[in-house]
Amino acid sequence: MKVLVINCGSSSLKYQLIDSDTEKVLAKGLCERIGIDGRLVYQKAGLDKEKYDYAMPTHKEAIGYVLKALTNDKTGAISDLKEIDAIGHRVVHGGEKFSKSTIITDDVIKTIEEVSELAPLHNPANLIGINVCKELMPGVPNVAVFDTAFHQTMPPKAYLYGLPYDYYKKYGVRRYGFHGTSHSFVSKETAKFLGLDINNSKIIVCHLGNGASISAVENGKCVDTSMGMTPLDGLVMGTRSGAIDPAIIEFIAHKENLTLDEVTEILNKKSGVFGLSNGLSSDFRDLDDAATHGNELAKEALEVFSYRVLKTVGGYVAVMNGVDAIAFTAGIGENDPGVRAEVIKNLGYLGIELDEEANKVRGESALISTPDSKVKVCVIPTNEELAICRDTVALLK
Ligand code: ADP
């Protein structure tokens, strides 16, 4: 089957066309600046990137240009749109309504709309992508793959906040967790890579990208995760604060004369390692470089980041009463040996020993603990698009 995977943001859209039989990417790219001016990036497998400035007042034009690029005479990956067998959509929030991926029907669209108030920045954009695909490719099945679904197996003790119970009942205020597609994919790949039986395993997945989260996966099911009702909870991230004392919000609002919305914006966009490094960068390549050249704030920002990762991993070892494997994934997890070493060095009490030579790896699956380390540590690249493609095919077979 040929599956078009769509990840629609508010002003951007990422896409991949995947052949599910070979799991090869046939073409991929993105649309940027939708609603502003518009730019299409298209790349057929094995060829250079092509970039075009096209007017994209809405997602409809953007997806229209993607479909044109996919079928263009010279570098198109397919000759006819009819070759697209299915479309898999990333949907950020499924609330408590979706515990797995689902074929999109009118009822499903209605339910995604209902949970949109939990992700007002993301779900409406995801829905636009779904509706435009239905319109431009009538008859092609659409599947929704939710960022929250994998975490729906968490028990109440993990997902309830210490708040009046009514807020949970009335408004759905609870921990949902995100990056679920990645946590699910990487936990399975980790078990495969290490030859573990996923149904009898304890795996901690550290998804460390610009957004970062950790999950505890016991026997293939998520039992806890660090992101919360929104992706702002948990780890210190690129620009997000992660968990903070909630009283800080009012304190800062008073001191800086800001509204709640303004403080929330700061917690999302100006905090994390970006804020800690005094606005130097949210990118770990820049921070690593600055730290190596003696920038103390960059060094401290990196320490704060790794320390929070370490505390969370330690907490999840306790939650599962042990751990068989720890997997690092996403931009930082796959590419930053320094962060991995900083986290692992304090886990010696678990019998973990880092193989410093093996830890130099970037961007590919590798065991980075020594052969006799009691707990295995590895780097496992995530692939959310492939995971969406696999779920889409599984539902349609
Ligand atoms: P997201 O999908 O959340 O945007 P990614 O998983 O793509 O994030 O991760 C992006 C981040 O990965 C970058 O901001 C950067 O901090 C980090 N990163 C990428 N490459 C490297 C590298 N070679 N060394 C250190 N960090 C890296």
Side-chain angles (χ1 to χ4, degrees):
M1 279 174 77
K2 291 191 176 105
V3 179
L4 179 61
V5 175
I6 298 267
N7 180 354
C8 236
S10 53
S11 68
S12 69
L13 179 162
K14 292 187 200 147
Y15 64 92
Q16 284 193 4
L17 183 68
I18 301 176
D19 180 337
S20 68
D21 299 325
T22 58
E23 298 203 327
K24 291 247 156 68
V25 177
L26 304 174
K28 65 179 180 181
L30 73 155
C31 298
E32 293 171 299
R33 301 175 61 83
I34 301 169
I36 306 166
D37 36 30
R39 178 175 310 132
L40 170 79
V41 179
Y42 171 78
Q43 186 175 28
K44 186 184 177 183
L47 299 183
D48 289 339
K49 272 187 191 159
E50 303 168 31
K51 293 183 186 167
Y52 305 96
D53 290 328
Y54 288 142
M56 296 176 183
T58 70
H59 287 74
K60 187 170 171 184
E61 290 80 17
I63 294 181
Y65 287 121
V66 170
L67 300 181
K68 265 203 185 130
L70 286 170
T71 50
N72 87 75
D73 285 346
K74 275 195 193 144
T75 57
I78 48 176
S79 46
D80 196 301
L81 282 185
K82 291 202 182 82
E83 289 179 47
I84 298 177
D85 298 298
I87 307 157
H89 296 266
R90 174 191 183 212
V91 179
V92 168
H93 219 306
E96 288 188 323
K97 306 279 186 185
F98 297 103
S99 55
K100 43 178 148 15
S101 303
T102 180
I103 295 176
I104 297 173
T105 61
D106 290 345
D107 278 348
V108 167
I109 291 183
K110 233 193 253 157
T111 312
I112 296 174
E113 274 165 4
E114 278 164 27
V115 294
S116 279
E117 69 171 357
L118 290 169
L121 294 179
H122 294 103
N123 274 28
N126 303 152
L127 277 167
I128 292 172
I130 291 169
N131 286 323
V132 171
C133 284
K134 275 172 54 121
E135 192 183 329
L136 296 180
M137 287 175 278
V140 182
N142 289 274
V143 166
V145 179
F146 300 90
D147 265 27
T148 49
F150 181 62
H151 304 303
Q152 277 295 302
T153 47
M154 282 189 289
K157 65 183 173 189
Y159 70 66
L160 287 176
Y161 288 118
L163 290 169
Y165 192 69
D166 241 19
Y167 297 163
Y168 165 56
K169 276 295 166 213
K170 282 201 292 198
Y171 312 123
V173 174
R174 53 158 282 183
R175 179 184 307 283
Y176 291 96
F178 297 86
H179 294 139
T181 311
S182 176
H183 287 288
S184 166
F185 178 85
V186 172
S187 55
K188 290 182 181 75
E189 291 293 310
T190 302
K192 246 194 260 170
F193 182 74
L194 296 172
L196 296 172
D197 172 10
I198 185 99
N199 296 313
N200 185 19
S201 65
K202 295 172 179 178
I203 299 174
I204 295 175
V205 177
C206 303
H207 176 112
L208 310 179
N210 201 18
S213 67
I214 303 188
S215 65
V217 184
E218 192 166 1
N219 304 331
K221 295 201 166 64
C222 175
V223 293
D224 206 346
T225 193
S226 60
M227 280 181 169
M229 181 171 111
T230 74
L232 188 52
D233 199 0
L235 302 177
V236 173
M237 307 181 213
T239 61
R240 285 179 230 156
S241 64
I244 57 166
D245 177 346
I248 292 171
I249 295 173
E250 197 201 0
F251 182 84
I252 294 296
H254 271 299
K255 287 282 182 200
E256 298 269 308
N257 199 20
L258 298 170
T259 64
L260 283 184
D261 279 353
E262 287 166 340
V263 177
T264 306
E265 173 98 353
I266 289 168
L267 298 183
N268 271 298
K269 303 214 168 129
K270 300 263 185 270
S271 301
V273 291
F274 175 83
L276 281 164
S277 65
N278 232 344
L280 177 70
S281 179
S282 62
D283 193 307
F284 277 57
R285 286 162 288 202
D286 300 334
L287 295 171
D288 285 337
D289 191 47
T292 317
H293 289 91
N295 184 317
E296 283 303 317
L297 276 185
K299 204 167 150 231
E300 209 163 63
L302 290 167
E303 280 171 4
V304 172
F305 177 86
S306 300
Y307 182 72
R308 185 73 65 91
V309 173
L310 171 69
K311 279 210 294 190
T312 310
V313 169
Y316 289 169
V317 174
V319 160
M320 295 194 287
N321 192 12
V323 61
D324 298 313
I326 300 171
F328 286 92
T329 195
I332 300 156
E334 290 168 29
N335 295 298
D336 197 321
V339 166
R340 295 192 299 247
E342 187 68 19
V343 173
I344 297 303
K345 79 174 188 208
N346 260 25
L347 296 171
Y349 71 98
L350 292 173
I352 298 186
E353 231 183 289
L354 187 72
D355 179 334
E356 279 174 29
E357 198 49 39
N359 186 39
K360 288 180 180 157
V361 71
R362 288 177 199 266
E364 56 183 279
S365 295
L367 183 70
I368 59 168
S369 50
T370 59
D372 22 312
S373 176
K374 270 204 234 144
V375 175
K376 305 294 173 210
V377 185
C378 49
V379 172
I380 303 285
T382 190
N383 191 338
E384 285 161 289
E385 290 79 11
L386 179 57
I388 292 173
C389 169
R390 284 182 184 170
D391 270 20
T392 303
V393 173
L395 275 167
L396 296 172
K397 269 205 169 142

